[in-house]
């Protein structure tokens, strides 16, 4: 009779042992990535009638790629952020985005006909297979650039997720609804810093202007959002630009006019900066495919 | 002899599983345990919801709930993930909030209301007053919106000079 809950070691907070215990069937775990768990484990993943699975997969892929590439750039601030608090903040924002990427890749694999798991998307695709917007992949030249990029991308993603929260696909809708609260914090963080730096010293103001000049040529591609997000592009553009106006006005900054850089990350045309980013991200997985421990 | 353990037991066992990141709280205190039920064939189905999309502890939570249920005599255990509706700090129970304060962590206030339309951005607004969990003073300041885990922010009390963590409203 085991109806006595006192028999259970309620003080055992060594939960990582349980994770190992869950795998005592002899199955080794992968040496990298998430091969031992599915972020959509036990979620009802049926696709409702009338949902275009190709469109759904394309949206999940582009949003997953934006998030993965951003998360990688944010993680690169570890050990070199201006203050420890900012390092922790940027890492946490990256972790939220990585979580969103995992869910989106898992959903993509269920609906694009390939049956791939999340790791296949992160670790085994080449730069031309990525559909992230190019702004996400540019190297961080300065903390001001990190702030402006995060402000643009979190504002756009928040505006889009607010709409996707009522998407016909329940998994995408749930990922978006959950993401809204996270992105609200990301955007607030970026906006607060934009204000502090733009309305700060002469030097911080100068660096914010330089960052805006570097971001501006890629803004059109973010807002255009085609082909993946054509249905929401206009409304999301409007909402994003309204937020940028609000922040820049308060920060005493302007969005400079700039000619767009030809090409589009949304079609797999990337800058020279994506390949080295992915090479680092994928190096262990590519060197030791299927490695386990 | 082993008799079939009851649904009540399953609920008690699952509810007592500690959170990996806030181990003073149970998954029930935190509002992460959504549901526990028994199917006609005797399978215990426990549903969990992640706090943040990137919560690195979901796999541990699932494994821990399943392991404890098996140890309690349930042979067939299934853990489901529920994403909708998303987790909110409003789901932290009154007991959970008291426990957080006892451990020196400031519990969250009410989560922001999600209304239709764009999420408003408020610049330079005074932050809500967060009470120091040690001395109770509200003369406190936020030092970072983020902390060692995604769910907390870092604060400092100007009265007792101690730093503390606050569970962010989500
Ligand atoms: Zn105090």
């Amino acid at each position: 009779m085991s109806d006595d809950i006192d028999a259970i070691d309620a003080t055992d907070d060594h939960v990582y042992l349980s994770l190992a215990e869950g795998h005592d069937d002899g199955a080794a775990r992968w040496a990298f990535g998430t091969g031992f768990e599915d972020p959509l484990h036990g979620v009802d993943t049926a696709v409702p009638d009338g949902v275009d699975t190709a469109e759904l997969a394309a949206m999940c892929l582009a949003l997953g790629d934006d998030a993965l590439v951003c998360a990688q750039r944010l993680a690169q601030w570890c050990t070199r952020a201006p203050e420890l608090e900012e390092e922790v903040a940027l890492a946490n924002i990256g972790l939220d985005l990585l979580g969103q990427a995992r869910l989106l890749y898992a959903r993509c694999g269920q609906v694009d006909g390939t049956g791939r798991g999340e790791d296949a998307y992160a670790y085994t695709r080449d730069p031309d297979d990525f559909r992230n917007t190019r702004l996400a992949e540019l190297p961080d030249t300065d903390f001001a650039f990190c702030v402006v990029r995060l402000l643009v991308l979190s504002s756009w993603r928040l505006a889009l997720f607010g709409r996707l929260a009522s998407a016909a696909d329940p998994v995408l809708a749930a990922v978006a609804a959950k993401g809204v609260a996270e992105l609200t914090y990301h955007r607030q963080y970026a906006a607060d810093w934009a204000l502090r730096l733009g309305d700060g010293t002469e030097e911080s103001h100068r660096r914010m202007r330089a960052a805006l000049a570097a971001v501006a040529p890629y803004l059109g591609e973010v807002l255009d959002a085609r082909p993946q997000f054509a249905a929401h592009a206009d409304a999301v553009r409007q909402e994003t630009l309204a937020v940028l106006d609000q922040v820049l006005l308060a920060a005493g900054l302007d969005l400079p006019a700039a000619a767009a850089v030809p090409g589009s990350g949304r079609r797999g045309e990337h800058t020279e900066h994506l390949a080295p980013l992915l090479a680092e991200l994928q190096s262990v997985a590519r060197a030791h495919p299927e490695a386990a421990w | 002899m082993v008799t079939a353990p009851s649904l009540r037991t399953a609920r008690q066992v699952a509810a007592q599983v500690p959170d990996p990141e806030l181990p003073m709280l149970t998954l029930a205190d935190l509002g992460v345990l959504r549901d526990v039920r028994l199917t006609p064939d005797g399978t215990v189905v426990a549903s969990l919801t992640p706090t943040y999309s990137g919560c690195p502890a979901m796999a541990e939570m699932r494994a821990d709930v399943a392991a404890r249920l098996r140890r309690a005599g349930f042979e067939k255990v299934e853990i489901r993930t529920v994403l909708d509706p998303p987790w909110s700090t409003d789901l932290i129970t009154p007991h959970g909030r008291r426990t957080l304060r006892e451990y020196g962590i400031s519990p969250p206030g009410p989560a922001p209301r999600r209304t239709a339309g764009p999420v408003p951005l408020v610049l330079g607004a005074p932050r809500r007053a967060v009470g120091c969990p040690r001395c109770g003073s509200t003369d406190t300041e936020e030092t970072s919106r983020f902390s060692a885990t995604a769910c907390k922010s870092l604060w400092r009390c100007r009265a007792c000079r101690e730093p503390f963590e606050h569970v962010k409203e989500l």
Side-chain angles (χ1 to χ4, degrees):
Chain A
M1 177 60 203
S2 52
D3 214 354
D4 178 7
I5 54 166
D6 292 333
I8 295 145
D9 180 7
T11 61
D12 173 19
D13 57 6
H14 226 293
V15 290
Y16 292 85
L17 291 176
S18 304
L19 188 60
E21 204 173 285
H23 292 264
D24 59 5
D25 50 1
R29 268 183 278 159
W30 217 7
F32 53 85
T34 58
F36 57 94
E37 78 130 0
D38 170 9
L40 290 176
H41 178 100
V43 171
D44 181 3
T45 54
V47 181
D49 290 340
V51 170
D52 181 327
T53 51
E55 264 175 34
L56 173 60
M59 282 199 278
C60 291
L61 187 68
L63 288 172
D65 287 347
D66 278 356
L68 179 69
V69 171
C70 276
Q72 184 72 2
R73 283 291 179 223
L74 288 165
Q76 289 173 341
W77 280 101
C78 285
T79 73
R80 62 184 194 94
E83 290 176 334
L84 184 59
E85 283 76 8
E86 306 322 314
E87 179 174 314
V88 169
L90 296 173
N92 268 301
I93 292 169
L95 183 62
D96 285 345
L97 292 172
L98 200 57
Q100 294 175 13
R102 294 187 56 197
L103 295 161
L104 290 159
Y105 285 151
R107 186 52 165 166
C108 190
Q110 290 166 352
V111 298
D112 72 358
T114 64
R116 282 177 289 181
E118 47 172 327
D119 287 334
Y121 292 92
Y123 293 125
T124 62
R125 286 181 307 140
D126 293 331
D128 326 352
D129 302 326
F130 277 73
R131 292 293 177 270
N132 60 281
T133 192
R134 286 174 298 176
L135 180 57
E137 73 207 31
L138 300 179
D140 279 304
T141 45
D142 192 49
F143 182 67
F145 180 85
C146 171
V147 165
V148 173
R149 167 175 34 208
L150 187 62
L151 178 65
V152 169
L153 292 181
S154 61
S155 299
W156 177 80
R157 196 173 174 90
L158 177 56
L160 180 64
F161 272 28
R163 289 166 174 82
L164 294 181
S166 49
D169 178 56
V171 177
L172 178 59
V175 171
K178 192 155 187 53
V180 163
E182 296 164 359
L183 291 160
T184 300
Y185 274 105
H186 304 175
R187 188 185 66 175
Q188 186 77 49
Y189 174 83
D192 287 348
W193 266 110
L195 199 60
R196 191 166 155 191
L197 295 175
D199 192 23
T201 65
E202 208 171 293
E203 173 65 3
S204 70
H205 183 84
R206 185 189 66 76
R207 282 158 79 163
M208 282 298 284
R209 285 172 59 105
L212 282 161
V215 165
Y218 295 94
L219 183 62
E221 180 187 303
V222 173
L223 298 174
D224 179 57
R226 277 162 238 272
Q228 291 89 345
F229 310 103
H232 298 291
D234 291 339
V236 170
R237 168 202 298 271
Q238 220 171 16
E239 188 177 326
T240 308
L241 285 174
V243 169
L244 295 181
D245 277 349
Q246 180 195 353
V247 176
L248 296 182
L249 182 69
L253 293 161
D254 289 307
L255 193 60
V261 183
S264 171
R266 298 288 185 219
R267 295 194 302 266
E269 298 150 1
H270 291 283
T271 68
E272 71 273 26
H273 305 296
L274 182 61
L277 178 147
L278 292 177
E280 185 179 48
L281 174 77
Q282 299 175 337
S283 58
V284 177
R286 297 257 192 185
H288 306 283
E290 310 292 319
W293 55 275
Chain B
M1 269 324 294
V2 174
T3 54
S6 68
L7 175 60
R8 194 176 133 266
T9 309
R11 286 200 168 130
Q12 282 176 327
V13 170
Q16 288 197 344
V17 175
D19 177 69
E21 291 189 344
L22 294 167
M24 73 293 283
L25 297 190
T26 65
L27 297 187
D29 285 333
L30 197 56
V32 155
L33 182 68
R34 278 276 160 90
D35 185 47
V36 180
R37 62 183 62 189
L38 271 176
T39 64
D41 77 344
T43 304
V44 183
V45 180
S47 301
L48 303 179
T49 193
T51 50
Y52 282 70
S53 301
C55 175
M58 268 309 277
E60 282 78 8
M61 289 186 203
R62 273 204 290 271
D64 201 17
V65 172
R68 282 161 190 262
L69 285 167
R70 286 200 194 92
R71 262 183 274 155
F74 297 93
E75 283 171 16
K76 285 182 282 186
V77 177
E78 194 183 313
I79 311 292
R80 290 193 187 150
T81 307
V82 181
L83 296 175
D84 178 45
W87 181 79
S88 155
T89 43
D90 288 350
L91 295 170
I92 300 177
T93 62
H95 176 260
R97 286 161 198 271
R98 274 197 305 278
T99 308
L100 281 171
R101 195 174 283 116
E102 280 162 20
Y103 279 79
I105 298 173
S106 151
R113 304 287 297 181
R114 176 87 176 93
T115 50
V119 181
L121 172 66
V122 182
L123 292 170
R127 298 275 151 68
R128 89 174 71 215
V130 166
C132 170
R134 288 188 178 79
C135 74
S137 169
T138 51
D139 186 15
T140 59
E141 61 179 336
E142 188 182 59
T143 50
S144 174
R145 187 68 57 81
F146 297 86
S147 178
T149 61
C151 61
K152 288 176 286 184
S153 52
L154 271 180
W155 289 69
R156 173 162 54 206
C157 174
R158 290 200 195 91
C160 73
R161 321 289 289 174
E162 289 291 328
F164 64 92
E165 289 184 306
H166 169 68
V167 175
K168 282 186 293 200
E169 294 73 21
L170 187 82

